[in-house]
C-alpha cells in the first residue's frame, strides 16, 4: 500500500513524466570542433562552485561496479581521470579500472555514431579516442582542483545545445532503453497488480539519515541469504520497473533538501530517522502542514502574527494523508513506521496538539518537536529513547497519547537546578507544556485522569495542583525577602522532594516562609495569597507521596501560580507590581 501510494504521488506530481532524463548540476561543457579537437572548457559553476542544473540522460546506479553515463558523466568516465592518492601497489589496479571506465563511456558513443549521421556524435567519439585531447581538458584546471565528481557534457562548435540533447541522440537513448526493457522478465507487479516487466534492481534513496551518501535501497536482495525459492534479486519481491521507479522518485523528491530545510517534505525525528509525508491534496496544503509541524524561523515569525491561520482552509475530509518514518542502515533503508489517514483528521489533530500544549497567557503557536524534546533531554542529549520523537509525531498527527517518557523526563529536568537564566523561563514553559499535554491525553477511563487548565485556576482543589501553587508562593516569598542573587533557592533545593514527598518538605518550608514574610516588602500580600492557597488544601494537607501523574499536576500548579505573579494585577488585588525573576 505504501509503495502504491508513493507511485501514485509520483505520477500525480509529474515526477515520472520523463523517466529517461533527470536534472543534475552540470559543472563544465567540453567544447570541441567538428573534428573532435578540444577548444575550451566552459565552466557552468556559480560563485559557490555549484554546477548549473541541466536535463541529462539518467545516470546508472553504481556501487563498486563500472556503469557509464550516456554522453554525460564525471571526469573518471569522460576523461579517464585518475586522482593519484598514493599506494604504488594499487596503481596498476587503478589504471585498469580507469581504462575500463573510459571504454564503457565510449561504447554507446561509438554505437550512436555508427547508427546516426549526426556529425556532433562523431566529433565526440573522435575526441574520446584522442588521448591528447582528453589530457588537454584536464590541463585546463590545476590537477588538485579536479575532484572526480564534476559532471561534464559536450558541445560542438558554436552550438548552444549540448550534444546529449540533440534529437538524434535522444532517439538513440530511447531506443537503447526500450531494448533493455524488452529483455527484462515479466510478471505480476505487487504494486499495480498488472503484468509488466519486473525491476531487477531498484533506484537508491538519497538523503536518508545514517545511510550511505551514495544512496541506500528500500527493496534489495544483494545476498543469497535474502533470497528464497531459487529467485534472484528483484524477483523475490516482483515490482514492475515503472512502479519501482515511481516510488523511488517520490521518496527522493520528498527527501531532497532545500535552501531552508534539510528535507523538502520531511521532519527529522531523532538523529537517525526522518518522517516524510505526502497527500493527494495540493502542494500548498502540504507546505502549510509542514510549516506547522516543523516550522522554520520564518514560519514562526509569520505564525506569531496569525496563529494557526490557514489550517481551516485545508480541512479536506476526502483527501488522504500518508507518512512513513525511514532510517538508514549503511546500504539499506529501514521503515520504522507507516500510516495512512484522512487529511481532515490530521488537521484537527494538529490543532488539538497545539491546544493541548498551550499553557499560560501567550497565544497558541506551533513548536517544533525537536525543540520540545531538547527541553527535556538530560544534559549532553542523553536520556530519551530513539522512538520518543516518532511517538511525539504520532501524538500530533494521529491524536495518540503522549509517551510516558515525556512526563518522566520533564519531571527529571524540573528537579535539576535551572540552567541559563535567560533561557530558563522558556525552558520551564516547554517542560510544563509537555506535562500538561500528557495529562490531558490520559485515557478517560484512567482513574488518574486529571483536569488541567491553560492558566491559573483558583477554583481547582486537586491536592497536587494546590501544593504546586503553594510552592510557587513560598518561592516568591523567599525572592521578595532575599532577592534573586541567591546561591540556591528553595526551588533549587526542594522542588524535587516537595513534588514527590510533600510531607517531608512543606512543614520546613512554611517555617522559613514566616521569616521571609517578615523581611519582604510585599510580605503581607504574599501571606494573604499563601493563606488563600492553603485554604484549598484538605485536612491532611501534605501527603507522604505523590504518584508520577500527581507530580505532573504539581508542576502545572507551580507554573500557573508562578506565571500569575508576572501578570499585572487588578487594583483590588493590591501588592507589588509584577517583575521577572
Amino acid at each position: 500500500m505504501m509503495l502504491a501510494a508513493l507511485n501514485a504521488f509520483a505520477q500525480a506530481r509529474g515526477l515520472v513524466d520523463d523517466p529517461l532524463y533527470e536534472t543534475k548540476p552540470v559543472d563544465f561543457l567540453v567544447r570541441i570542433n567538428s573534428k573532435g579537437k578540444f577548444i575550451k572548457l566552459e565552466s557552468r559553476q556559480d560563485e559557490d562552485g555549484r554546477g548549473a542544473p541541466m536535463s541529462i540522460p539518467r545516470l546508472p546506479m553504481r556501487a563498486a561496479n563500472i556503469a557509464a553515463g550516456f554522453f554525460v558523466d564525471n571526469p573518471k568516465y569522460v576523461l579517464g581521470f585518475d586522482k593519484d592518492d598514493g599506494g604504488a601497489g594499487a596503481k596498476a589496479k587503478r589504471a585498469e579500472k580507469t581504462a575500463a571506465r573510459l571504454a564503457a563511456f565510449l561504447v554507446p558513443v561509438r554505437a550512436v555514431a555508427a547508427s546516426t549521421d549526426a556529425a556532433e556524435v562523431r566529433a565526440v567519439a573522435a575526441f574520446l579516442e584522442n588521448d591528447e585531447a582528453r589530457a588537454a581538458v584536464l590541463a585546463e584546471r590545476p590537477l588538485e582542483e579536479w575532484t572526480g565528481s564534476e559532471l561534464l557534457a559536450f558541445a560542438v562548435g558554436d552550438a548552444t545545445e549540448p550534444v546529449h540533447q540533440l534529437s538524434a541522440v535522444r532517439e538513440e537513448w530511447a531506443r537503447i532503453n526500450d531494448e533493455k526493457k524488452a529483455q527484462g522478465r515479466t510478471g505480476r507487479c505487487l504494486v499495480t497488480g498488472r503484468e509488466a516487466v519486473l525491476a531487477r534492481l531498484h533506484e537508491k534513496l538519497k538523503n536518508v539519515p545514517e545511510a550511505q551518501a551514495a544512496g541506500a535501497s528500500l527493496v534489495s536482495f544483494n545476498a543469497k541469504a535474502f533470497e528464497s525459492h531459487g529467485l534472484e534479486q528483484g524477483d523475490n519481491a516482483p515490482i514492475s520497473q515503472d512502479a519501482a521507479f515511481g516510488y523511488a522518485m517520490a521518496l527522493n523528491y520528498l527527501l531532497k533538501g532545500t535552501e531552508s530545510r534539510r528535507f523538502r517534505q520531511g521532519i527529522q525525528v531523532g538523529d537517525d530517522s526522518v518522517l516524510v509525508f505526502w497527500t493527494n491534496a495540493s502542494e500548498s496544503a502540504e507546505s502549510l502542514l509542514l510549516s506547522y509541524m516543523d516550522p522554520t524561523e520564518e514560519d514562526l515569525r509569520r505564525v506569531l502574527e496569525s496563529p494557526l491561520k490557514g489550517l481551516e482552509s485545508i480541512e479536506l475530509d476526502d483527501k488522504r494523508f500518508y507518512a512513513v518514518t525511514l532510517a538508514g542502515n549503511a546500504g539499506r533503508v529501514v521503515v520504522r513506521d507507516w500510516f495512512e489517514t484522512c487529511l481532515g483528521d490530521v488537521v484537527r489533530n494538529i490543532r488539538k496538539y497545539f491546544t493541548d500544549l498551550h499553557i499560560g497567557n501567550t497565544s497558541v503557536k506551533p513548536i517544533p518537536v525537536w525543540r520540545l524534546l531538547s527541553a527535556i533531554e538530560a544534559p549532553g542529549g542523553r536520556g530519551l529513547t530513539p522512538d520518543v520523537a516518532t511517538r511525539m509525531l504520532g501524538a500530533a498527527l494521529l491524536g495518540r497519547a503522549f509517551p510516558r517518557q515525556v512526563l518522566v523526563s520533564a519531571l527529571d529536568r524540573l528537579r535539576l537546578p535551572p540552567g541559563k537564566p535567560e533561557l530558563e523561563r522558556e525552558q520551564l514553559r516547554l517542560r510544563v507544556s509537555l506535562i500538561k499535554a500528557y495529562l490531558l491525553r490520559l485515557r478517560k477511563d484512567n482513574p488518574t485522569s486529571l483536569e488541567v487548565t491553560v492558566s491559573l485556576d483558583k477554583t481547582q482543589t486537586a491536592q497536587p495542583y494546590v501544593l504546586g501553587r503553594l510552592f510557587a508562593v513560598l518561592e516568591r516569598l523567599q525572592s521578595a525577602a532575599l532577592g534573586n542573587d541567591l546561591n540556591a533557592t528553595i526551588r533549587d533545593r526542594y522542588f524535587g522532594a516537595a513534588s514527590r514527598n510533600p510531607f517531608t518538605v512543606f512543614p520546613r518550608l512554611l517555617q522559613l516562609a514566616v521569616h521571609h514574610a517578615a523581611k519582604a516588602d510585599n510580605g503581607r500580600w504574599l501571606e494573604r495569597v499563601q493563606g488563600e492557597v492553603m485554604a484549598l488544601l484538605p485536612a491532611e494537607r501534605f501527603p507522604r507521596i505523590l504518584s508520577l501523574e500527581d507530580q505532573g499536576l504539581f508542576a502545572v500548579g507551580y507554573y500557573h501560580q508562578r506565571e500569575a505573579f508576572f501578570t499585572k494585577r487588578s487594583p483590588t488585588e493590591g501588592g507589588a507590581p509584577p517583575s521577572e525573576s
Side-chain angles (χ1 to χ4, degrees), residues 202-348:
H202 294 206
E203 289 278 338
K204 291 186 177 180
L205 307 184
K206 306 285 184 64
N207 206 21
V208 178
E210 300 297 318
Q212 293 176 349
S217 299
L218 181 65
V219 180
S220 68
F221 303 86
N222 61 334
K224 289 294 181 185
F226 307 136
E227 298 175 347
S228 303
H229 305 293
L231 300 174
E232 295 182 351
Q233 295 193 329
D235 291 344
N236 289 275
I239 298 174
S240 69
Q241 291 185 2
D242 292 341
F245 182 73
Y247 87 73
M249 289 300 100
L251 282 175
N252 280 327
Y253 172 81
L254 299 171
L255 288 165
K256 189 175 182 180
T258 65
E259 290 186 358
S260 58
R261 295 184 180 279
R262 180 178 175 185
F263 307 102
R264 182 195 302 275
Q265 209 156 291
I267 304 169
Q268 178 104 26
V269 283
D271 294 332
D272 63 348
S273 304
V274 56
L275 178 144
V276 293
F277 70 88
W278 68 99
T279 72
N280 59 356
S282 63
E283 290 185 51
S284 59
E286 293 169 349
S287 177
L288 190 61
L289 281 176
L290 186 60
S291 69
Y292 282 99
M293 288 309 305
D294 191 28
T296 62
E297 292 301 321
E298 183 179 347
D299 294 332
L300 289 174
R301 284 195 293 274
R302 176 180 55 78
V303 170
L304 284 177
E305 299 172 358
S306 53
L308 305 189
K309 181 181 180 182
L311 284 180
E312 305 85 357
S313 62
I314 58 172
E315 194 166 342
L316 305 170
D317 287 335
D318 60 334
K319 300 296 183 183
R320 305 300 295 171
F321 177 94
Y322 310 90
V324 59
T325 303
L326 303 174
N329 184 4
R332 293 181 178 278
V333 175
V334 179
V335 176
R336 287 195 164 168
D337 191 19
W338 143 256
F339 63 84
E340 171 192 354
T341 186
C342 172
L343 179 56
D345 289 341
V346 170
V347 173
R348 284 186 283 274

